[in-house]
């Protein structure tokens, strides 16, 4: 029995599909390793979590949410965020952050 096309494409989904375009970005080479990893993971997470790219007012992704999604310590996330904000990859919004470079 064949599966519907939507189920087949979901099963074939590969994480890291954005890696090539992210790594080709000139900002990639000046980021510390933690910020690089965070950027790659956030692009994959943004595929299934649209509020990371376009948050609804008052529902942006916060540092504790990012730490939970990335399975990281909040203080490590804060350090990586500062580099990503300085390079205009993510931006602060009302109560959290939004991924700009996707």
């Amino acid at each position: 029995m064949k599966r519907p096309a939507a189920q087949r494409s979901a099963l074939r989904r590969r994480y890291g599909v954005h890696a090539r375009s992210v790594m080709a970005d000139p900002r990639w080479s000046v980021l510390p390793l933690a910020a690089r990893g965070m950027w790659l993971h956030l692009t994959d997470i943004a595929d299934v979590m649209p509020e990371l790219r376009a948050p609804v007012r008052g529902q942006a992704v916060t540092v504790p949410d990012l730490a939970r999604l990335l399975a990281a310590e909040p203080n490590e996330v804060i350090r990586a965020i500062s580099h990503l904000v300085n390079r205009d990859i993510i931006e602060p919004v009302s109560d959290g952050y939004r991924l700009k470079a996707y």
Side-chain angles (χ1 to χ4, degrees):
M1 183 171 133
K2 286 198 140 198
R3 293 186 179 145
Q7 284 181 345
R8 284 193 310 264
S9 66
L11 291 174
R12 283 186 277 158
R13 177 180 159 73
R14 292 181 306 130
Y15 293 100
V17 294
H18 304 285
R20 193 171 286 163
S21 63
V22 166
M23 289 177 176
D25 191 298
R27 298 171 286 191
W28 176 259
S29 61
V30 296
L31 287 173
L33 186 58
R36 288 179 183 188
M38 186 171 171
W39 189 8
L40 282 175
H41 285 293
L42 290 178
T43 56
D44 284 337
I45 293 168
D47 284 340
V48 294
M49 193 176 171
E51 60 269 20
L52 186 55
R53 289 178 280 143
V56 178
R57 174 174 254 169
Q59 294 182 351
V61 182
T62 61
V63 170
D65 293 335
L66 289 172
R68 181 181 51 78
L69 289 168
L70 299 168
E73 294 292 324
N75 58 353
E76 294 171 355
V77 171
I78 291 169
R79 281 190 295 245
I81 284 175
S82 67
H83 292 285
L84 296 173
V85 168
N86 288 339
R87 301 291 188 273
D88 206 31
I89 295 166
I90 63 173
E91 70 178 346
V93 291
S94 61
D95 60 339
Y97 294 93
R98 170 183 101 76
L99 181 63
K100 287 177 66 174
Y102 187 70

